[in-house]
Amino acid sequence: MQNICITSGEGDTGLFKIKNAFKSKLTWYMVGCVVIAGAVAFLAGYLIVHWGINYVDDIFDDQDKNRNLQMRYIKDLQNYITKMDITTDTISQLKNWTDENSYVYLAVYQNNKVVFNSDYTYDENLETEVTVGDVQESEYLYQLKLTDKRVVSADIFCYDYWKYYYYIWGAGIIIGVFLFIIVITMLLQKKVRYINSIVQELQILEGGNLEYPITVKGNDEIANLALGIDQMRLSIMDNMKKEQRMMQVNKDLVTSMSHDLRTPLTILNGYLEILNMDHIKDEKQRKHYLELSLARIREIKELSDDLFEYFLIYGENEKRIDVEAVPACMLAEDLIENQFLGLEEAGYQFTGVNRTNEQSGNCMVNIKYMQRVLNNIISNLEKYADKDIPIEVSASVEGKSMVIRVRNGIRKNLDEHESTKIGLITCDRIMRLHHGKFRKYETENEFTVELVIPMEIQDR
């Protein structure tokens, strides 16, 4: 069996490019412009030629005019014969005259024979005389006198008007080409104006006004380009707004932490100054101030740990966080039965509702980071929750997410140093790293947080 090997070379590549080119809407638009412009140019040229030829025919379709024109040529021919001394033997020299008058047909007859015809090529050794009927009696023949005194009859036909046909055809072609250029320019001008408007809008964007939208018209490649530029503009604006929000969050965080740190540091400084005084002789009183100082140091350490944790989470890349599938029912049981156990031992009231089961599916979480979220929530409850109002915790699957809600009453007469929101900011950041949501709702006496955790997508 013969093996056949097929290779593709530059010819196939060129054919592929041509096929792709005709998939372009802009290419078809340009082809349409050429077709329309060509049709208009052809129609205009055809009408000009048709009307012009008919007009010339109407003008020259006059027997008297043609007769006068023939008489003028006959007089000129007779003068030529006399000047050139043309005889019967040299009558073929009339070819020079017919060559100079290219729009004239001439036939000369003698004794009912054709002795000259402008359509023939003459040679002295070639017999060109053709016997014809009785033509010398025709009223349309003219008499010519040769220099050898012989008289011949001449049949002359003038078609000077043919030169006007050439003028008409030239005018038709020129006007057709002119109209083609005008029409195709007008059709393409729409796209050119659109491109120019995009260029002007880009110059506005270059000036820093990102709020100015890019105009999107049509559905061809130029419109797709404009849409892509506009989407890029919106993306840049969105990134800038996110960056501004992050800068504001960091600014607010630094301001809040500065305030929260200043209070315990001021108090700690006061305690240390008291301890530094020599007049405190009571060891019990000195120990009391030491304990108060250590408490403030622990408070400062806790705030610094929170700040470190926030910047640690903030520096994480969303694409680098690893998640794993954890059964929703197990996560809910651990939260309700284990995570909040320490709160009950500390004297807080607690109620839990688990609406998940083994068929609820899996949550996509990072255990380490999710534990940080729960720790921050529990720490927030220890600082702000009212022990007289039960803490309500519920877990349920809603749509494609698992939702954990924690609701608590707000303790009255909160200490000033407990106003930091860094824990909640950290929770929000971690949940966004999970592609989930962190929601908080606060009223005068009640505070609620919701953790919206994405569920694993089940293959069907």
Side-chain angles (χ1 to χ4, degrees), residues 210-262:
L210 294 178
E211 296 290 341
Y212 196 89
I214 299 295
T215 304
V216 179
K217 294 191 297 185
N219 57 355
D220 57 12
E221 286 70 21
I222 299 178
N224 292 337
L225 175 63
L227 180 61
I229 295 174
D230 196 57
Q231 292 295 331
M232 182 175 64
R233 175 187 68 86
L234 294 175
S235 177
I236 293 174
M237 287 180 58
D238 185 60
N239 290 336
M240 290 179 63
K241 289 179 180 178
K242 288 181 179 178
E243 183 178 355
Q244 290 175 356
R245 285 197 298 269
M246 289 300 176
M247 290 178 63
Q248 185 62 40
V249 168
N250 289 338
K251 181 179 179 181
D252 294 341
L253 177 63
V254 171
T255 302
S256 175
M257 290 299 297
S258 298
H259 178 270
D260 292 338
L261 285 171
R262 184 166 57 249

Side-chain angles (χ1 to χ4, degrees), residues 83-219:
K83 179 181 179 181
M84 301 304 296
D85 192 22
I86 296 177
T87 64
T88 305
D89 295 333
T90 61
I91 199 166
S92 60
Q93 294 181 11
L94 294 179
K95 186 71 168 65
N96 296 329
W97 183 86
T98 56
D99 288 342
E100 293 177 0
N101 298 274
S102 56
Y103 294 105
V104 174
Y105 164 77
L106 176 66
V108 179
Y109 305 98
Q110 186 179 33
N111 299 325
N112 290 327
K113 293 181 180 179
V114 177
V115 294
F116 178 83
N117 191 311
S118 61
D119 287 345
Y120 297 160
T121 301
Y122 289 88
D123 192 299
E124 293 181 355
N125 299 322
L126 180 63
E127 179 63 50
T128 60
E129 299 179 0
V130 180
T131 302
V132 297
D134 188 8
V135 296
Q136 288 183 322
E137 302 298 330
S138 173
E139 60 177 326
Y140 295 105
L141 296 180
Y142 299 93
Q143 301 299 313
L144 294 172
K145 286 184 179 182
L146 304 179
T147 55
D148 58 1
K149 306 302 182 180
R150 294 187 180 184
V151 177
V152 294
S153 300
D155 182 16
I156 189 169
F157 176 73
C158 308
Y159 45 98
D160 285 48
Y161 60 90
W162 278 27
K163 62 184 177 183
Y164 297 109
Y165 290 167
Y166 299 136
Y167 298 153
I168 292 169
W169 273 100
I173 293 174
I174 292 173
I175 293 175
V177 171
F178 183 70
L179 285 177
F180 177 84
I181 295 173
I182 290 178
V183 173
I184 200 170
T185 301
M186 292 175 61
L187 293 174
L188 294 179
Q189 189 64 27
K190 179 181 178 182
K191 295 296 181 184
V192 173
R193 285 196 299 267
Y194 183 34
I195 294 174
N196 289 335
S197 68
I198 293 176
V199 172
Q200 293 175 358
E201 290 168 350
L202 282 174
Q203 291 174 349
I204 294 175
L205 296 182
E206 288 176 0
N209 185 10
L210 294 178
E211 296 290 341
Y212 196 89
I214 299 295
T215 304
V216 179
K217 294 191 297 185
N219 57 355

Side-chain angles (χ1 to χ4, degrees), residues 387-402:
K387 293 185 177 181
D388 296 332
I389 301 175
I391 299 172
E392 300 176 5
V393 181
S394 65
S396 60
V397 176
E398 300 178 7
K400 298 180 180 180
S401 303
M402 177 180 176

